[in-house]
Amino acid sequence: MAAKFFAYFVVVVALSSVAKSDPDLLQDICVADASAGVKVNGFACKNDAAVTEADFFFSGLAKPAVINNTVGSVVTGANVVQIPGLNTLGVSLSRIDYLPGGLNPPHTHPRATEIIFVLEGELDVGFITTSNKLYSKSIKKGDVFVFPKGLVHFQKNNGHEPASVIAGFNSQFPGTQSIAATLFASTPAVPDNVLSKAFQIGTKEVNKIKSRLAPKKS
């Protein structure tokens, strides 16, 4: 329990020293009203009379997530969708859980820098700059690592035990683009000849990758 509180403290302190990504707020609170139907850069504000303590609370990061997918990791968000009170505040968290061998595949957050604190286990992490240089490191329980805004990055649990991290973002809704899913599972689909030429592979290989990444039908 003490380790979890320390993790949250480290993330909040670190975020306070990072330049804000979201616009500054113009009032004390602007709790998101997802039902308003108004399209703005963020969410419209709920009427103050309807705001409660529950708008600023979320307990979903307390326990490891159930992992049942092929990559062996699950991200549990604590952003403005789960905590409406984060609207206009420019911060959010996530918890990421990994099975042994689990991967959080290469992805980007177009609207935020990410900082992670390792709760349990060991991870190999890294990011790639726009000049195609990889910065990578093995990190363990208690360590902190930063992924700059918009750069492709990943985390891989190469240990024999499950791992978990708390991730902090300087955005209420950082957004996530998984590189493989973005290119091979978009709607409408990226043309096969574009992917074939970009990756220097045949159309059969393109379709094979697409079939593996296609959303599972319920």
Side-chain angles (χ1 to χ4, degrees):
M1 182 63 69
K4 289 182 179 179
F5 279 113
F6 179 70
Y8 297 145
F9 174 76
V10 168
V11 168
V12 170
V13 170
L15 284 173
S16 68
S17 66
V18 177
K20 282 175 65 62
S21 178
D22 292 352
D24 286 332
L25 65 165
L26 299 175
Q27 59 279 312
D28 290 341
I29 60 174
C30 175
V31 173
D33 185 356
S35 65
V38 178
K39 296 292 185 180
V40 295
N41 188 21
F43 293 90
C45 303
K46 183 187 290 189
N47 189 304
D48 284 355
V51 174
T52 70
E53 293 82 356
D55 290 315
F56 302 90
F57 175 80
F58 181 63
S59 61
L61 304 187
K63 297 180 180 179
V66 175
I67 303 173
N68 184 23
N69 57 45
T70 56
V71 296
S73 72
V74 167
V75 179
T76 303
N79 53 54
V80 69
V81 175
Q82 293 80 25
I83 310 173
L86 286 177
N87 195 38
T88 74
L89 297 185
V91 294
S92 61
L93 294 174
S94 288
R95 176 183 177 131
I96 313 170
D97 295 296
Y98 316 78
L99 294 174
L103 170 71
N104 190 10
H107 63 281
T108 71
H109 301 294
R111 296 185 288 274
T113 291
E114 177 181 2
I115 182 169
I116 61 172
F117 175 88
V118 183
L119 292 173
E120 299 291 343
E122 299 180 1
L123 297 165
D124 290 335
V125 303
F127 65 87
I128 304 162
T129 68
T130 55
S131 54
N132 225 29
K133 180 174 174 57
L134 170 66
Y135 291 88
S136 62
K137 189 170 180 62
S138 296
I139 58 176
K140 61 185 185 303
K141 182 176 180 178
D143 288 345
V144 172
F145 196 83
V146 175
F147 305 104
K149 177 181 176 179
L151 296 186
V152 175
H153 59 281
F154 61 88
Q155 304 107 33
K156 177 77 161 61
N157 180 6
N158 284 326
H160 301 291
E161 301 293 335
S164 300
V165 306
I166 291 292
F169 304 91
N170 61 332
S171 172
Q172 67 181 35
F173 197 56
T176 300
Q177 277 195 305
S178 177
I179 305 305
T182 296
L183 292 173
F184 290 92
S186 66
T187 304
V190 176
D192 288 354
N193 61 352
V194 172
L195 296 173
S196 178
K197 194 171 186 67
F199 288 93
Q200 297 294 293
I201 57 177
T203 302
K204 288 184 178 180
E205 286 80 3
V206 169
N207 289 326
K208 187 175 183 180
I209 296 171
K210 283 185 174 182
S211 67
R212 289 180 175 176
L213 294 175
K216 298 293 187 292
K217 296 181 180 180
S218 56

